[in-house]
Amino acid sequence: MIEEHIDIPTSDGSMNTFITHPEEDGPFPVVLFYMDAPGKREELHDMARRIGTAGYYVVLPNLYYRDVREFNLGMPGATRERMFELMGHLSNQMVCEDTQAMFDFIESQSSARSGNTGCVGYCMSGPFVFAAAAAFPDRITASASFHGVKLYSDDPESPHHDAHKIKGEMYFGCAEHDSLAPPSMIDPLTEHLTQTGINARVEWYPECDHGFVFPQREGLYNKAASERHYERLFAMFKRNL
């Protein structure tokens, strides 16, 4: 496997990014990996590597780059208060601008295949993936949100308002026990998606909590459910990329 840490230029600065892909038989379909709130870290690098070994060019940016070069809750001095502050500085529009910067970068990479692209986001990035799928309907053909937050609300910026623009396949993996994404949010989202008629699936993961896919999330990680999440991802990518 090839992996590298690079800077992707954006209108707001340099977005430090982890990239991994197989060594041979490229170019490979691209998968954009949007981090969760605790930050870009080795745990996510390992998840990106796993996706990459299945035959994909995986791009994992630090979405907090406008504020900090590096942040994760495992760092000395990193606090949840700072994490929430950084989260609050992001918007769907900003991440869509970052997505365009990633697309621009990919065009110059011989190992990255142009055309159909996949994306996956976790927790805080659930709405970012949702928004990006609508903002780039001709490019993003497979997208997934796992225990995503803020997917459906009265906020004018809620990504569900643009769901009808999505042309690709969209998947939502939801934890049964998740105070940040409860049935009161997911049920109306499901109904809205049905009304739009887009190719979307909402699936509940029984007996799971928010963060169930992350191996280092002590007390929350659910190995069987996490493996199912990879199964759903790889099947969707195979169908669409």
Side-chain angles (χ1 to χ4, degrees), residues 4-234:
E4 55 185 333
H5 296 267
I6 58 96
D7 285 340
I8 294 178
T10 79
S11 58
D12 293 324
S14 296
M15 181 167 62
N16 51 310
T17 302
F18 176 76
I19 289 176
T20 184
H21 58 84
E23 187 172 352
E24 299 179 340
D25 300 324
F28 307 98
V30 172
V31 173
L32 308 181
F33 186 136
Y34 300 80
M35 70 189 205
D36 63 332
K40 177 178 167 296
R41 58 197 184 278
E42 189 62 15
E43 181 179 26
L44 299 192
H45 295 167
D46 280 342
M47 293 172 67
R49 292 179 182 110
R50 178 161 179 184
I51 295 172
T53 59
Y56 299 101
Y57 184 104
V58 186
V59 183
L60 168 59
N62 165 32
L63 296 178
Y64 294 150
Y65 72 94
R66 294 174 177 85
D67 291 300
V68 291
R69 179 77 179 178
E70 182 178 2
F71 175 89
N72 69 74
L73 281 179
M75 293 171 53
T79 64
R80 292 183 64 83
E81 290 76 17
R82 178 57 171 158
M83 180 185 76
F84 286 120
E85 180 182 12
L86 293 170
M87 286 175 59
H89 291 172
L90 288 175
S91 68
N92 294 339
Q93 179 59 40
M94 292 165 70
V95 175
C96 284
E97 292 172 2
D98 295 339
T99 301
Q100 181 62 63
M102 287 187 273
F103 285 144
D104 293 342
F105 169 79
I106 288 164
E107 293 303 320
S108 65
Q109 303 304 301
S110 60
S111 294
R113 184 187 301 170
S114 60
N116 293 357
T117 301
C119 60
V120 58
Y122 300 87
C123 308
M124 80 161 184
S125 286
F128 300 154
V129 168
F130 199 179
F136 302 95
D138 295 318
R139 185 71 184 266
I140 296 177
T141 57
S143 50
S145 160
F146 290 94
H147 34 78
V149 302
K150 300 181 179 179
L151 299 173
Y152 185 99
S153 73
D154 294 331
D155 188 331
E157 300 303 314
S158 177
H160 81 275
H161 293 303
D162 289 329
H164 63 282
K165 298 178 181 178
I166 296 174
K167 297 180 181 179
E169 183 176 351
M170 183 89 211
Y171 177 87
F172 298 87
C174 307
E176 180 182 13
H177 308 296
D178 190 343
S179 62
L180 298 175
S184 60
M185 181 185 77
I186 301 302
D187 289 345
L189 170 67
T190 303
E191 182 178 354
H192 179 76
L193 293 171
T194 300
Q195 292 174 354
T196 65
I198 66 171
N199 183 8
R201 178 185 181 186
V202 177
E203 183 174 22
W204 289 99
Y205 284 64
E207 301 180 7
C208 288
D209 298 281
H210 187 83
F212 66 86
V213 304
F214 299 114
Q216 296 178 24
R217 200 69 62 86
E218 187 174 354
L220 299 176
Y221 174 61
N222 183 308
K223 183 176 181 179
S226 182
E227 291 303 308
R228 178 199 286 178
H229 127 272
Y230 283 114
E231 177 188 343
R232 298 293 191 262
L233 269 184
F234 292 146

